[in-house]
Amino acid sequence: MTADRKLFTLVSILIGISIVLTYSLSTYVTLLFDVNEFHFAIRQTAFGFLSILIIWLLSQGNPDKLLAPIGFSLFIGSAILMVAMPFLPEFLVSAVGGAKRWIKLFGFSLAPVEFFKIGFVYFLAWSFSRKLGHHDGMGIKQEYIRFAPYGVVFIGAMFVIAFVQNDLGQVVVLGLTLLFMLMFAGSSFRFFLTLLAGALMFFIFFIFTAEHRILRIKSWWALAQNSVLELLPASIAEQLRVPTVEEPYQIGHSLNAIHNGGFFGTGISNGTFKLGFLSEVHTDFVLAGLAEEFGFIGVSFVVFIFLWMLQRIFKIANRVENSSLYLFSIGVGLLLSFSFLVNAYGISGITPIKGISVPFLSYGGSSIIAASIGVGMVLMASKKAKMD
């Protein structure tokens, strides 16, 4: 059996688009850092070709022999790196806002959490396929007992990512992926709802344990409150309204960039909000930059390619008979889906900004390579599926 060629082609198209966007949207940043105008585009091109090569090489592998070693290496290796990062010397670790998220290697920055996400999904798929499912007649207490070891692993990872690395957005993506993988693994809907309620409580707890997160929520609510409160009675709306002096900076410019793009966009390299209004728009705000320069048409095309890619991933999951490969393929699809949605909702003001990159589109070596490893492993699994 051969790997799914359509999935390989779709991911390659997204990577190609990311190279074009990186060049077009990094104009101001190259001037700010006084580097060559092709600096970021060349780096993203290198990351892109390396990622496509990784996907192709993994797709040639034997899933029975290679998936487990790769999956567990990513899970254990990146977990060790994340735990060790606070104790590494400054010349090895990049700190932004007091959070150590990147390890410096040969002029590049490596974000272990990106690789941990793929390894974590493989660990869940491997483990769920052996211990979950078949909950008929099982009470919710027994389901919790059976889930307890995974809960401990997740809480440990959540502590490191949310508190040590100060990255709540990744916790949200991983938490949502875990919850939905549990459903696909055969847990009861009642168990799913209780876990979801618990996750919301933990999320609120994490928000109120950091002042910058509280300020971010207030900033988001200041922008979103008018459209929400107009649906409520005036007496209740006034109690929930918070005073605003000015519109939240990043979200405001992001929305203006999207509005400025209109239906057809301003044209490649003709966007204005990338010129210092949106900080490093080629990374977390790449969708806003895409919307301004390529308009609704450009965004629709990218969303279409992304959805088609997800459809191929979920189709592979549906066609494999091995439960571990089924759950892993679903997990990768969920991980990519939630990352895209969290970013899209953030830059459009629907939810607070989380600092999550857009898979295969945002500038950055760690995110694109890690996502490519995940897709390459799914392609390896597709050799066990009956695809058309």
Side-chain angles (χ1 to χ4, degrees), residues 104-119:
K104 301 174 186 176
L105 289 173
F106 309 109
F108 296 94
S109 295
L110 177 74
V113 68
E114 298 290 347
F115 300 91
F116 175 80
K117 291 188 295 185
I118 304 298

Side-chain angles (χ1 to χ4, degrees), residues 156-167:
M158 187 166 55
F159 175 82
V160 173
I161 297 172
F163 283 109
V164 179
Q165 298 197 339
N166 198 18
D167 195 352

